[in-house]
Amino acid sequence: MLDIRNIGVDVGHKSLFYNVDLNLRPNERYGVVGANGAGKSTFLKLLAGEESPNTGSVDKPKGVSVGILKQDHFRYENERVIDVVIRGKQDLWNALVEKDALLQKADFTEAEGFHLGALEEIIQHNDGYNAEAVAQTLLLGVGIVAKYHYGPLKALSGGYKLRVLLAQVLFQNPDVMLLDEPTNHLDIVSIDWLQDFLINQFKGLLIFASHDREFLNSLSTHILDIDYGTITKYFGNYDYFETAKETILVQKQSELEGKEKQIASLQSFADKFRASASRSKQAMSRLKMIERIEMDLPDIQDSSVVKPYFNFVPERPSGKAVLKIEQINKQYEERTVLNNISFSLRRGEKCAVIGPNGIGKSTLLKILLNQIAANKGHYEWNETTKIGYFAQDYETGLPHNLSVWQWIEDTTHAPSQTARAVLGQVLFRGTDVEKKIANLSGGESARLMLASLILQQNNVLVLDEPTNHLDLGSIDALAEALHKFPGTVLLVSHNRYFIDKVATHIVALTEHHGIQNYLGNYHDYLAQYGKDYLARD
């Protein structure tokens, strides 16, 4: 369906990828992966025709429709949410608007009557009389409650506006759907719904970039890996891809080592007998063999995927009983977001707080950190705790005028050698430490915050959505570090893979069943409570 021929893309003096040839087929689901900055978003924009490659072309059959998840919600601020979704089918939307304008007239001409009939055909062809019902179902699926459907888009926060745009591209139901990080602003319930929708209801060609490993594993029939200056297609999901890529690399390294040994042996013979009258021809023959082998050496380039290394080491351990929470309640005017929340944490536990957006997960963390007050109930930290906090909105608190090094110096007071070593671990190397914080990417800012937590040597870590801007390698590295951390972790996340790798304790906040407190990991929790544990009306 999409024929990609010899495409190459340069950004400034850097080549993202070149000589890429791919054929992407209908009814397949391609997960696009690669390090931050590898070119995933650029690749999707090329496929959508929003950008042009420096070389090569992207061809599709005539009449094939392409839909891409956009970030242009500012265009629709004063429009009804339901209308923004229906705009996904532009022909249908135009026909509905024209029909409404004609019907506002007291009477219309014969030509206008014929045109009204033509508009009716367009509306029927696009199932227009069910459009609002379908749009409502999609909005509910992505977590937009019914009371907002007929209000203006500007009534929603930024993350929820992007959910509306996701519903828009799902409503379009194009032949080719392109999604760039579709789970970024979704809660754990909506991610599960979207995953199910794309597997069971969308029948076109799906190409999507994601840092959610569980989402990639569940959806992908193929993986497109942007690495080594090209894009390589692998069959299967992300786990299969990881194994296959590693196997290929090991095979190439083994082949290279074998040929290098062969070259060394041939070179030794040639050096020894080159000056010998009786054996000089044999020596020259060996040199020609070396030339032929060198022409066929496997090409092993450096990967663009570089994983950071996180290691959280407490300055001193906390007491065994770390935190006790009793009947915490929080209300905003007439709305209750937390109702009788009670649980406790012991040293070494890794507790994940999960639930739909808006149910009070971040609010609970802020209450426990004394940033906001509960309406009733109380909590008590062990007096030996030293708490480090990763806020969901951490970027707003970073001083943009400072460099990475200046901020680390000012906030941690760690010895210079130690601070530089930790910054190197999280991939700020050489002159990278001189970068202004204002110029950091989301992933770089997150790694900087985690470096600060490492240097603080806390024995309790409170983390609110720490994986939001991290790539897959960084998420793996963080999960491994938290698993090894001897202290206590209290985290909020919608990344199911991350929760499953880290959590030993699940606290689920539900709308209809109160708190569910479960000792075990996320996989075991689902087995206990079932897939619809957070289902909404």
Side-chain angles (χ1 to χ4, degrees), residues 328-330 336-341 359-360 363-364 367 509:
I328 291 288
N329 181 285
K330 181 63 180 177
T336 300
V337 291
L338 295 170
N339 187 22
N340 293 330
I341 304 300
I359 204 164
T363 299
L364 176 61
I367 289 172
L509 307 182

Side-chain angles (χ1 to χ4, degrees), residues 188 192 214 354 496 500 506 518 520-534:
I188 212 162
D192 194 65
E214 181 71 22
I354 63 174
R496 296 162 295 174
D500 202 44
I506 302 292
Y518 182 82
N521 67 16
Y522 181 64
H523 181 80
D524 294 336
Y525 173 79
L526 285 183
Q528 173 74 26
Y529 286 97
K531 190 173 183 179
D532 295 327
Y533 64 100
L534 294 172

Side-chain angles (χ1 to χ4, degrees), residues 71 104 123 207 249 257 312 319 324 333 394 420 450 487:
Q71 311 283 325
Q104 296 301 316
I123 293 168
I207 306 162
L249 180 59
E257 288 172 8
F312 303 100
K324 186 175 183 181
E333 297 179 349
Y394 64 88
R420 284 190 180 276
L450 292 168

